[in-house]
Amino acid sequence: MTPYDSSAAPTPAARQPLVDGFGRTVTYLRVSVTDRCDLRCVYCMAEHMTFLPKAEVLTLEELDRVSSAFIGLGVRKLRLTGGEPLVRKGFMSLVESLSRHLRSGALDELTLTTNGTQLARFAGDLARHGVRRINVSLDTLKPALFRTLTRGGDVAAVIAGIDAAQAAGIAVKINAVALRDDNAAEIPALIQWAHGRGLDMTLIETMPLGEVEADRTDQFLSLTEVRRALASYWTLTDLPLNTGGPARYVRVEETGGRLGFITPLSHNFCEACNRVRLTCTGTLHTCLGREDASDLRAVLRAGADEARLVEAIRLAVDAKPQGHDFQITRDAAPATRRHMSTTGG
Ligand code: SAM
Ligand code: SF4
């Protein structure tokens, strides 16, 4: 893939930062590069998913072009996600192409969220293209439970992937979804395992996104509850890290590692939100928990020039909602019909 030609000088409009209607500056873009995945996590996907026809998914060139437009507008951090980003054909050429923004200094960080199954193969290339940190999702170390939760996955492949990433010099953060029935009792062991390997760890509350077979109300585990339990035997020291997102961090003094809590349902984090999300079909969502959507693919495929693309992005960001309205109650419909695999986690 040849890098998208961004040699044309940015227009004056393109030089102004992206500020929404509530004065928040958008500096963080998450891009889902595919809705496909080699796993079927029970809280994320239905067992039998219908994936999108190829024509609906942005090409690698289109993904590069939109991402680069955002970077031109002041986005400093770009996270590639999915579905599973490493199963997208040609994914590494997109990473290679986007890495030019790291070299130019326009971008501070190019990163990805992955399930880790393909990492052993790709970690070296990621490191070579300037990826310094990644998030790997891992909810359990138990092979049988991992197989059940992911509907068929092999936890050994993920651990081999984490090994390869660390060997390549990439910092790994483990993301685990807290599930009342499945991994609640294992959470302390998972934290000890991660911290013992020098990995940060973040716990995530289940979010009501997309219809899946499992009843999320039964699996929902409040991280306030988890934190209280951990604090009964560990010393948790608040850290002033602020990512502009829903994560709050502590240091576990006994393990020496960092632990994050992503609690979109327990706490309101919207006032500091600095991020927007692009789906693999080119729809821009400015809020994870709302149905707001702007179709950038239509703009791209109508042959828009740079100024028109920038205008479409600005219009979308200007309308970013003030906050979300997630709730998990017994009969509540999902807050949005989108699956996390479409929006990108
Ligand atoms: N396939 C990659 C992975 O699993 O890391 C990237 C995409 S995945 C959708 C991103 C993150 O979203 C994962 O950490 C996953 O556990 C999380 N996730 C998926 N569905 C979720 C849900 N309903 N609630 C909370 N987190 C969810
Ligand atoms: Fe795939 Fe990630 Fe969703 Fe699991 S959470 S099904 S790995 S996209």
Side-chain angles (χ1 to χ4, degrees), residues 109-179:
E109 186 171 17
L110 178 60
T111 185
L112 70 156
T113 300
T114 172
N115 64 26
T117 60
Q118 314 287 319
L119 255 185
R121 238 169 91 207
F122 291 118
D125 285 339
L126 289 170
R128 216 158 38 78
H129 299 318
V131 173
R132 297 282 165 260
R133 300 194 304 171
I134 57 174
N135 289 353
V136 177
S137 303
L138 181 61
D139 304 329
T140 177
L141 294 167
K142 297 177 183 166
L145 179 58
F146 187 85
R147 215 174 300 121
T148 306
L149 281 179
T150 59
R151 298 195 184 95
D154 174 14
V155 73
V158 178
I159 293 172
I162 295 169
D163 289 339
Q166 288 193 282
I170 298 175
V172 175
K173 179 160 75 72
I174 303 293
N175 280 346
V177 174
L179 301 162

Side-chain angles (χ1 to χ4, degrees), residues 208 215-218 220 265 326-334:
D215 180 349
R216 285 200 189 86
T217 321
D218 291 344
F220 177 73
L265 301 158
F326 281 136
Q327 52 175 331
I328 288 191
T329 53
R330 195 152 278 281
D331 301 314

